Amino acid sequence: MLGKSERESAVHAQLAAQLGGWTGGDSVLLDLGARSVTLATIAAIDGISAVVHIGHPAQPLPDLERLLLSTSNSLLFTAAVPVHSQWTLVGRSNETSGVAIIDEAGMRDCRGVLRTLGLAPHVVPTSMSVEERAELAGEHGVLVIEKSQIPTGFHELSDAGRFSEIPPLWYGLLETVETLADFDSPSQVWLAFGPDQDHKGSLLTTLNVFAEHGVDLQHLRSQRSQAGPHIFLSSFGVPNSENLLGLLAQLSERGVAYRVLAVIDGTEFVPGPDALDPIWSNMSDRALEQHRGDAS
C-alpha cells in the first residue's frame, strides 16, 4: 500500500508514484493524516510506504530532516523523482478580485508566482473539495488548482502561463528498512551525525573523516539537540554501499553517533537545488590593512 499526508497534493503525489514505478495502474494513494502521523504509520504498519515532498535529493527540507530524526530509525527514503508542476490559475471571468483560493500544498509550491502576480492568497485546507473552493471564490475570485481539477464554469486565465515556470517538484519514496541494502551504483545519502563530545573543534575532527573518504558535502547544517551535542545534517554522494559502510564504520570508531535518513540512487538530480549568487564583503583592502594594523 502507498499513502501520502493529508496536506499533500493528491495529483502531484499520484504522478510521482506513477513516474517512480512505486504503484501500479490507477491505485489511489491513502490519506494517512498529518505528516508526523504519516511517518509514524509507515513505521508502525508493515507494507505501507509513502510519497513525500522532499525539497531536493541534494538539499532536503529542514523540517523534513527534523521530523525524520525524531521518528522511528527504520524509516528511509529509497528513491526520488521530479514531477512537473500541474498548478494553474483559473477563474470564472477575466475580471478578478485579486484574491486567490489556494491550498497548503499549492501555497508551498506557488508562493513566489503569487507574489509576482500581486495576488492575495486565501489558504484553505487541502482536504476542502473543489466545489467548496469554487463557492468560496465567488464570482470574481480565482483558484490556484491542479489542471486536472479545474471545476465547471472556470477557465485558465491569461496569467496561468506563469505557473508553468515553477521548477519541477521532487518527491521521495519513504519506506521502512531493517538494514541498508547493498548497491553498486552512485547514490545520494542523507546523513545525520553528532560527535559524542561537543566541544570547540569537534566538528572539524568529524569532517576529517568525510575528507578521508573523498566525500563532497553538498549540504551541511547544524541543529540543536536536547541530548546535548549538536546534530549535523548532511547530504552527499557515494559511489557504492561499501564506501558508505566504510564511512559509517570510521565515524563509529571516532565516537560519532549517526543515522542514515536516505539512500537515493543517482548522481545528476536535474533540476538542481536553488543556487545563490552571493555578494561578498565589500570591505576594501585598505580597510583590512587598517584593521590588521590596529590589531597589531
Side-chain angles (χ1 to χ4, degrees):
M1 292 185 290
L2 199 61
K4 67 172 189 65
S5 73
E6 62 185 1
R7 295 185 176 183
E8 187 52 70
S9 162
V11 170
H12 290 96
Q14 185 74 45
L15 184 55
Q18 293 170 353
L19 291 173
W22 306 333
T23 186
D26 297 325
S27 301
V28 177
L29 302 185
L30 302 173
D31 275 327
L32 300 178
R35 194 167 57 168
S36 59
V37 176
T38 296
L39 269 61
T41 300
I42 298 168
I45 302 177
D46 291 337
I48 295 184
S49 303
V51 180
V52 181
H53 182 268
I54 63 172
H56 191 274
Q59 193 171 8
L61 295 170
D63 285 349
L64 180 57
E65 290 177 312
R66 289 169 57 101
L67 189 59
L68 276 172
L69 200 52
S70 60
T71 313
S72 169
N73 58 12
S74 66
L75 294 177
L76 186 78
F77 278 102
T78 59
V81 294
V83 173
H84 288 292
S85 169
Q86 300 299 302
W87 299 113
T88 190
L89 184 70
V90 301
R92 287 189 171 93
S93 68
N94 292 325
E95 181 182 348
T96 69
S97 64
V99 175
I101 309 301
I102 185 170
D103 65 21
E104 296 143 309
M107 191 64 188
R108 178 196 65 206
D109 300 336
C110 306
R111 64 174 70 245
V113 178
L114 290 179
R115 189 180 300 114
T116 60
L117 294 178
L119 292 172
H122 181 147
V123 182
V124 299
T126 303
S127 59
M128 178 179 282
S129 70
V130 173
E131 292 74 20
E132 290 175 307
R133 299 185 199 193
E135 183 177 353
L136 183 61
E139 185 64 29
H140 299 299
V142 299
L143 303 179
V144 176
I145 200 164
E146 300 94 335
K147 293 180 180 180
S148 62
Q149 303 299 305
I150 299 175
T152 302
F154 283 73
H155 64 274
E156 288 191 285
L157 301 178
S158 58
D159 287 328
R162 299 293 297 274
F163 288 79
S164 64
E165 300 171 5
I166 296 173
L169 311 170
W170 282 94
Y171 285 83
L173 178 65
L174 186 63
E175 303 181 281
T176 55
V177 298
E178 294 295 331
T179 58
L180 292 175
D182 292 337
F183 57 93
D184 296 323
S185 58
S187 298
Q188 191 75 20
V189 173
W190 299 357
L191 182 70
F193 61 91
D196 62 350
Q197 294 184 358
D198 192 21
H199 57 80
K200 290 183 178 179
S202 59
L203 175 59
L204 179 60
T205 302
T206 305
L207 292 181
N208 285 335
V209 178
F210 289 91
E212 291 167 4
H213 281 75
V215 170
D216 175 20
L217 288 175
Q218 297 162 290
H219 166 70
L220 178 65
R221 73 179 188 87
S222 64
Q223 173 68 51
R224 291 180 58 193
S225 169
Q226 293 184 3
H230 285 87
I231 298 169
F232 298 96
L233 299 126
S234 65
S235 175
F236 53 89
V238 295
N240 50 52
S241 57
E242 183 179 358
N243 181 276
L244 174 60
L245 292 175
L247 172 63
L248 299 180
Q250 189 65 32
L251 289 173
S252 292
E253 291 176 10
R254 299 288 182 90
V256 178
Y258 65 81
R259 178 173 161 193
V260 178
L261 303 177
V263 178
I264 300 170
D265 182 60
T267 55
E268 297 295 327
F269 300 100
V270 180
D274 289 342
L276 293 174
D277 184 12
I279 299 176
W280 301 112
S281 172
N282 62 355
M283 185 178 290
S284 67
D285 291 340
R286 182 175 179 180
L288 287 173
E289 288 298 329
Q290 179 65 44
H291 174 73
R292 294 191 186 102
D294 293 342
S296 62

